[in-house]
């Protein structure tokens, strides 16, 4: 008992020296590495849970030592001791199981994680007993506006595919473009094919221009926003079709129009023939009388040639 | 139906309704087509790497061509009649869109879609309006109301259709297919059979003493009250009737309309933006526009129906003045309505007001100048209205930018509509008085207007021999 108290004192001293708040009550013989040796910056996130579960999104740009603190107000029972442990992406973190004591009506779990690369990102959860869970989703800034419908372009034409990082999110260091090749992604290098590809980068926007499209150019394209910690991907689908595709409906509509116009004019011709044979004299008189007035101030009938 | 003073009776029915349908299509495309193209702007902007204002120019060029082409259209209609002009117009828009689908620069689009397309639409609009006047007299407000309803209906259809085409074919393919769709204006044109071709002579309108030149004069003169062609002067008259500028009613209409159009379209353009500014999400904001369009769609024929009733028809100018003022009041009150419910109420009321004005817009012009001079009148009106229509939305936008909020823009639009409304009321009061005086004094027909003729017709039901011109 005295030994563990001494150990704790030692930890507290180190805590004061390195300005970190770490609290473990590991009963095991080897204490976990509380003070990381590397020179990464530090950051802290804490969540207080009142219900059963909660998810917190954490946006990270650079490698960091992240201290995650979970506080739980407990349930009806308010047991004096419960087991708490950490999970990463569903798997329990080694040596993270501890007994949490009820202090001031709350249970608390805290741990520091080294987030250095893409593998370190993911979902970290602290679990109290078998009920309460707080999930921290660690990720680089995600590309918000993802275009869900494909861009349609034509063989021989060029197309501009764009990706944008929202104003509210931090700027990426640079942008990369990838083309999907089966399940893989192949990066597009402009130098390799300068005539076909063009990449125009601005701080928050990137544009990939593909010239001289062929049907093989269709498929998924990925834009990667590069941050120190990882690259986040957005995707856009490109569809390349030949000009025959819209031509078919166009010709169908043109045929429909021609048919309708012909039908209307033929109907009119047949009607006028009927009128002509019926009211011959009267209509002639009608027509000469009415020549003067329709459509225009001019009275001469030379302009009255009403050709259809 | 009462006997008319023309040599032939405007059918007021029969094939006229087919013509109304044709006009419905033509007018619908003319107004709705430029608005519906905005869906493609974002992609075209990316493709050509131009700024947003450069792409917005496309709409402006199209609208400007459509309005500026008014007089050209009038001249052509005066010479050749409605049918050929509409068919040529349809072919022009179609050709413009098809050429545009092969475009390599933004200038190419400005020319094909903007200039050629806009001009083609102008050649659709005027003749469609004109031919209604030749087919309808008694039921004309109704016919006008139905035909003008084409605009919201076609917009309603084109909007989702354009989205579908865009998703399936991208902008190039869509332009090609739209070129085909707009070719249906030629079908509409085919329906616009010139009115004296197949009308059977109605026995009442052929009293024997009306033969010959005297009859022609009398018939024309007792027509909807415009100038007798024997009195027409100058060779400009062959093309377009500029003596309209001496016509009292025409001037009233023109002055009022020019002021009105500054505030007419801006509220529609900014409705969604205003809603979003109030914190409403994008879909609800778009829904407001749908509500507005739906109410507008039904209000137009309804207004035509009301305008046709025997209480309103003789004094239809007052009805129009009321509609314009109503618009003005609606905009002045808009900023006072809170929350989303307030905006929905505003959208509904605005839809009513907008539909009323649109349905009557050309009907009252026809009423003032008569069907014969209408084609010239509408040409002159559209080219003069071109200015306010194009300047209105950008000026309103500037107001919003300067003050940072929308209510000043609404106040301005409200004033721009209320003042012409009141102006119309006052001026038409005097105009009607003068007309009644002239009728009593038996002044030569060249100052008479249509509504007076209608009044006479309605009051002298069984009287076939008409003696106003002595």
């Amino acid at each position: 008992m005295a030994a563990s108290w001494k150990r704790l004192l030692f930890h507290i001293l180190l805590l004061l020296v390195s300005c970190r708040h770490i609290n473990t009550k590991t009963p095991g013989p080897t204490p976990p590495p509380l003070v990381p040796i590397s020179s990464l910056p530090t950051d802290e996130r804490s969540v207080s849970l009142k219900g059963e579960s909660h998810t917190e999104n954490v946006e990270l740009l650079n490698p960091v030592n992240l201290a995650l603190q979970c506080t739980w107000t407990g349930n009806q029972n308010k047991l004096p001791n419960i087991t708490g442990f950490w999970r990463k992406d569903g798997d329990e973190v080694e040596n993270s199981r501890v007994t949490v004591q009820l202090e001031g009506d709350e249970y608390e779990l805290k741990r520091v994680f080294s987030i250095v690369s893409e593998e370190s990102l993911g979902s970290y959860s602290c679990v109290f007993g078998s009920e309460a869970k707080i999930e921290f989703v660690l990720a680089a800034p995600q590309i918000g506006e993802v275009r869900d419908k494909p861009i349609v372009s034509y063989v021989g034409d060029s197309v501009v595919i764009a990706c944008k990082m929202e104003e509210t999110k931090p700027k990426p260091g640079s942008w990369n473009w990838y083309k999907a090749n089966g399940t893989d992604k192949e990066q597009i290098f402009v130098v390799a094919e300068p005539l076909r590809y063009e990449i125009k980068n601005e701080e928050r926007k990137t544009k990939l221009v593909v010239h001289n499209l062929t049907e093989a150019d269709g498929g998924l394209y990925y834009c990667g926003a590069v941050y120190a910690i990882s690259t986040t991907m957005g995707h856009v689908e490109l569809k390349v079709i030949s000009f025959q595709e819209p031509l078919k409906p166009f010709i169908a509509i043109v045929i429909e129009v021609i048919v309708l116009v012909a039908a209307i004019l033929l109907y009119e011709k047949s009607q006028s023939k009927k009128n002509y044979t019926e009211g011959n004299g009267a209509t002639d008189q009608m027509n000469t009388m009415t020549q003067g007035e329709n459509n225009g101030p001019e009275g001469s009938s030379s302009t009255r040639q009403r050709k259809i | 139906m009462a006997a008319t003073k023309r040599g032939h009776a405007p059918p007021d029915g029969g094939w006229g309704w087919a013509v109304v349908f044709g006009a419905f299509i033509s007018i619908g495309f003319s107004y709705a087509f430029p608005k519906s193209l905005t869906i493609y702007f974002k992609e075209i902007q990316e493709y050509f790497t131009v700024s947003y204002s450069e792409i917005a120019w496309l709409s402006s060029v199209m609208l400007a061509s459509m309005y500026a082409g008014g007089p050209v259209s009038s001249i052509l209609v005066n010479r050749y009649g409605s049918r050929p002009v509409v068919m040529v117009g349809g072919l022009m828009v179609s050709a413009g869109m098809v050429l545009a689908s092969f475009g390599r620069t933004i200038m190419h689009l400005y020319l094909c879609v903007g200039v050629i397309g806009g001009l083609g639409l102008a050649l659709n609009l005027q003749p469609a309006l004109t031919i209604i006047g030749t087919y309808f007299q008694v039921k004309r407000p109704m016919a006008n109301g139905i035909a003008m309803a084409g605009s919201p209906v076609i917009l309603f259809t084109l909007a989702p259709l354009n989205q579908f085409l865009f998703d399936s074919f991208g902008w190039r393919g869509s332009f090609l297919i739209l070129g085909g769709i707009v070719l249906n204006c030629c079908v509409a044109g085919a329906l616009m059979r010139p009115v004296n071709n197949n009308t059977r002579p109605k026995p009442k309108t052929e009293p024997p003493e009306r033969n010959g030149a005297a009859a022609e004069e009398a018939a024309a003169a007792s027509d909807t009250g415009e100038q007798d062609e024997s009195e027409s002067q100058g060779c400009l008259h062959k093309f377009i009737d500029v003596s309209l500028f001496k016509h009292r009613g025409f001037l009233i209409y023109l002055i009022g309309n020019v002021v009105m159009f500054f505030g007419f379209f801006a509220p529609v353009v900014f409705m969604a933006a205003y809603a979003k500014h109030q914190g409403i999400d994008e879909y609800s904001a778009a829904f407001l526009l749908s509500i507005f369009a739906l109410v507008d769609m039904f209000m137009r024929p309804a207004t035509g129906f009301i305008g046709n009733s025997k209480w309103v028809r003789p004094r239809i100018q007052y009805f129009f003045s009321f509609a314009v003022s109503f618009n003005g009041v609606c905009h002045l009150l808009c900023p006072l309505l809170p929350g989303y419910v307030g905006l929905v109420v505003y959208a509904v009321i605005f839809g009513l007001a907008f539909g009323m004005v649109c349905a009557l817009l050309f009907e009252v012009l026809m009423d003032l100048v008569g069907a014969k001079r209408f084609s010239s009148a509408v040409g002159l009106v559209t080219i003069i209205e071109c200015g306010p229509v194009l300047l209105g939305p950008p000026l309103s936008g500037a107001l919003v930018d300067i003050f940072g909020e929308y209510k000043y823009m609404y106040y301005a639009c409200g004033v721009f509509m209320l003042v012409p409304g009141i102006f119309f009321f006052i001026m038409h009061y005097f105009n009607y008085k003068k007309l009644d005086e002239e009728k009593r004094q038996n002044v030569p027909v060249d100052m008479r207007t249509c509504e007076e003729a209608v009044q006479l017709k309605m009051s002298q039901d069984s009287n076939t021999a008409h003696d106003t011109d002595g």
Side-chain angles (χ1 to χ4, degrees), chain A residues 273-295:
Chain A
K273 275 211 187 93
K274 219 169 42 157
N275 273 3
Y276 186 71
T277 50
E278 279 180 22
N280 214 337
T283 23
D284 281 356
Q285 207 176 46
M286 264 329 283
N287 284 341
T288 49
M289 262 176 45
T290 58
Q291 283 299 317
E293 37 184 12
N294 287 315
N295 284 337

Side-chain angles (χ1 to χ4, degrees), chain A residues 149 152 154 157-158 250 253 256-257 268 272 275 278 285-287 290 292-293 295 297-298 303 306 308, chain B residues 7-8 47 78-79 83 104 167 169 172-173 176 180 184 193-194 196 198 200-201 229 237-238 372:
Chain A
K149 293 192 212 139
V152 179
Y154 292 90
D157 198 7
S158 53
F250 173 71
I253 298 176
E256 167 247 323
V257 166
E268 184 176 320
S272 77
N275 273 3
E278 279 180 22
Q285 207 176 46
M286 264 329 283
N287 284 341
T290 58
E293 37 184 12
N295 284 337
E298 195 188 29
T303 57
R306 201 72 55 120
I308 47 168
Chain B
H8 72 93
Y47 183 86
N78 284 346
R79 258 185 98 86
R83 179 185 261 165
R104 293 268 153 226
D167 292 336
F169 298 109
R172 284 189 194 275
L176 185 67
N184 281 298
R193 192 189 296 170
N196 63 347
N198 280 324
R200 298 196 188 197
E229 58 232 4
H237 249 261
K238 255 200 212 140
K372 218 171 69 172

Side-chain angles (χ1 to χ4, degrees), chain A residues 13-65:
Chain A
L13 275 167
L14 278 166
L15 202 72
L16 289 168
V17 164
S18 55
C19 297
R20 284 199 200 105
H21 304 285
I22 296 156
N23 185 9
T24 63
K25 295 187 174 82
T26 322
T30 35
L34 300 170
V35 184
I37 308 157
S38 65
S39 55
L40 289 177
T42 61
D43 200 356
E44 180 178 321
R45 292 280 191 277
S46 69
V47 171
S48 186
L49 179 68
K50 292 191 176 52
E52 272 198 14
S53 71
H54 176 82
T55 307
E56 176 95 354
N57 286 313
V58 180
E59 204 174 78
L60 296 173
L61 301 178
N62 302 303
V64 70
N65 282 322

